[in-house]
Amino acid sequence: MAALLRGLRVGRALRGFGSGEPRLATCPQCNGLRRGFHCAALRLQEDKDKSIPVPPSSAASSTTTYHEHYQAHPSKNNTATHMQEAPAPEAGAKEAPQPNTSYADQSGEQGEEYETEEQLQAHILNAALDFVQLHGWTLEAISAGAETLGLSAASSGMFQNGAGDLVLHFIAQCNAQLTEQMAEQHNQVQLGQAEPKKTAEFLRDAVETRLRMLTPYMDNWPQAMSILLLPHNIPDSLKHLSTLVDDIWYYAGDRSTDLNWYTKRAALTGIYNTTELVMIQDSSEDFQDTWNFLENRIQDIVNMAGAAKQAASTGEAVAQGLLGAAVTLKNLTGINQRR
Amino acid sequence: MLRVDHAGEYGANRIYAGQMAVLGRSQTGQLIQEMWDQEKKHLAKFNEILAENRVRPTLLLPLWNVAGFLLGAGTALLGKEGAMACTVAVEESISEHYNSQIRALMEEDPDRYVELLKLIKEFRDDEMEHHDTGLEHDAESLPGYKVLKGAIQLGCTAAIFVSQRL
């Protein structure tokens, strides 16, 4: 029975895999351990008298596909390149932590019926966020969160990365929220229901919105930042940061395809990081100092861009002037007349 | 994949610009200008596609900027045959590259990539046209044609390889 359940769960995990959830890039052995805890957590749930439809044929086929999946890790790279070519924005990948409702409908959503391992983890981490103020960004918070869902505290063992998982989940969630808001604004502008904002204003609003999502956790945020700087978390946190900045520029209207693409994103990354640091030690009313700092930094960038443009046009004017002088000289000395 | 195409068109643009800078006022100027205009159209199209699909442009664009211009100007200094030989070599590399992309797309999922396939086929045909034009205009009569062609094609392969990753 447990094996059948396991097969069903991981089969649905495979189908819910969709467009490349980074979390599943761990080794199969670790996943075995996680599934062990997962099953322990699930047995607690079974006591709650839920009937889970188990079609035997799908369980059998899903176990085989599960094995295929774990032997074919390179296929993830293919989906990554598909992501680049398909018109879907990259922000779509960030929506993965949210529940896959199409499968939930199949078996009837009854309170805590979880379809996939990721959804279960996402639910636990969401619940754990409430305990961050109490326990900080730690496994205790995750355990406390798991307990509120009726699972045993040991299910925090599902998270190989511990507090890192919690922080990364939180950032992913914040980024997804921000992207949703920006997409919504974008739609409204397209429908003509709202005025498009100027770039500087848009950037400021976007960064402010995103940083305001941190305010409930501001006391423990330095701890979260240091967790993100741990070597094994750096690739993930950098990826989240770069996707965030790319999304913000995209919705700000940037469509550049030359070196500006890089300079703009680098500039915004700098602004975001420094503003975050300022925010941590800001004790003013409603973080007003932080927003002032942000405003000034964005103004700097705008000024620099303006100055760069001016320098370029000055350079062009000077070059043309020189060319004109050269031609005049050639005329005067009669070189041109030898043609 | 789109990044490499974009970089390729950008480079081709700069090569023709270099050739024009040297040969612009000679008889072949007209011909080179025509081919250059077509490349400009290709580049504009790729700029659009890149922006739509939110693909990162290659970091090496400034490098291709300078390198392309130097290549174009350098071969043009060898005269009309040099410029044509450069065109032949580059267009052959690009056509081959497009062909392999078409093969890859067809293998994966022709229905999904219908638009892209059509576009790449069209561009590949244009590039082949340039290649044939180059041949018509005495590219092969350049002394050391084979050597130059080999060298340029090696450079192109290296550029494609790097742009895919960077």
Side-chain angles (χ1 to χ4, degrees), chain B residues 20-127:
Chain B
M20 274 306 282
V22 175
L23 287 175
R25 267 161 281 173
S26 70
Q27 301 159 315
T28 30
Q30 176 67 17
L31 186 63
I32 300 182
Q33 181 66 44
E34 267 172 35
M35 297 200 282
W36 191 15
D37 289 335
Q38 277 190 322
E39 297 294 348
K40 282 194 209 170
K41 257 182 30 209
H42 289 186
L43 183 63
K45 190 76 190 127
F46 270 119
N47 277 338
E48 248 181 68
I49 299 184
L50 234 66
E52 254 173 49
N53 292 308
R54 300 182 63 179
V55 177
R56 168 177 74 85
T58 169
L59 186 55
L60 300 164
L61 276 180
L63 179 61
W64 303 145
N65 189 348
V66 173
F69 193 84
L70 285 178
L71 180 64
T75 48
L77 283 174
L78 294 173
K80 168 183 157 222
E81 291 81 14
M84 290 299 138
C86 173
T87 305
V88 166
V90 171
E91 299 296 2
E92 204 175 298
S93 286
I94 291 191
S95 299
E96 223 177 279
H97 176 66
Y98 278 149
N99 276 334
S100 64
Q101 283 192 340
I102 293 176
R103 273 193 288 271
L105 286 177
M106 296 288 279
E107 265 170 30
E108 280 206 36
D109 192 353
D111 299 317
R112 197 163 135 202
Y113 299 118
V114 154
E115 283 291 323
L116 189 59
L117 269 173
K118 213 172 70 154
L119 192 74
I120 297 188
K121 282 185 187 157
E122 198 189 309
F123 285 3
R124 184 216 41 207
D125 294 336
D126 285 341
E127 307 292 359

Side-chain angles (χ1 to χ4, degrees), chain B residues 126-151:
Chain B
D126 285 341
E127 307 292 359
M128 283 312 288
E129 210 187 296
H130 292 178
H131 172 261
D132 296 333
T133 312
L135 282 176
E136 276 169 30
H137 284 84
D138 312 321
E140 281 162 344
S141 59
L142 178 73
Y145 167 72
K146 288 236 161 48
V147 175
L148 184 62
K149 183 165 170 219

